[in-house]
C-alpha cells in the first residue's frame, strides 16, 4: 500500500447566539484557527484510511469557552 501526508488549516467563525429578547448570549460565538496533520494509507486498491489530529492554534472566542484537540479516523471505499 501507499502512504501520504497532508496538513490543512481550518478556520471557523460564528456570531454570538442571541436570547429571545435579542440580547447576545454570553460565552458564545467567536473565531478559531486549527491545523490538522493527517496520514493517509491505501492498504489496497479502492481503499483509503485517514488518521488526523486537529490542533487548535488560535482562539478568539467570546467570553469563557474551551476547544480541545480532536483525533479523527475515517475510511473511504470505492464501490465501483
Amino acid at each position: 500500500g501507499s502512504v501520504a501526508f497532508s496538513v490543512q488549516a481550518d478556520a471557523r467563525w460564528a456570531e454570538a447566539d442571541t436570547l429571545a429578547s435579542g440580547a447576545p448570549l454570553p460565552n458564545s460565538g467567536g473565531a478559531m484557527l486549527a491545523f490538522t496533520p493527517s496520514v493517509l494509507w491505501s492498504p489496497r486498491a479502492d481503499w483509503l484510511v485517514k488518521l488526523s489530529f486537529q490542533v487548535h492554534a488560535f482562539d478568539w472566542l467570546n467570553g469563557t469557552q474551551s476547544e480541545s484537540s480532536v483525533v479523527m479516523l475515517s475510511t473511504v471505499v470505492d464501490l465501483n
Side-chain angles (χ1 to χ4, degrees):
S2 58
V3 175
F5 301 94
S6 71
V7 176
Q8 90 186 40
D10 303 293
R12 184 187 72 191
W13 173 82
E15 288 191 32
D17 293 333
T18 55
L19 300 169
S21 66
L25 184 66
N27 305 320
S28 67
M32 58 131 275
L33 176 66
F35 295 103
T36 309
S38 301
V39 176
L40 297 95
W41 173 52
S42 181
R44 55 180 284 185
D46 300 331
W47 282 74
L48 182 65
V49 178
K50 180 179 178 183
L51 177 64
S52 303
F53 182 66
Q54 186 177 63
V55 180
H56 293 270
F58 301 100
D59 291 325
W60 302 275
L61 302 173
N62 301 328
T64 303
Q65 300 180 52
S66 65
E67 295 284 344
S68 58
S69 298
V70 178
V71 175
M72 298 170 277
L73 178 65
S74 58
T75 60
V76 175
V77 178
D78 184 356
L79 301 175
N80 289 331

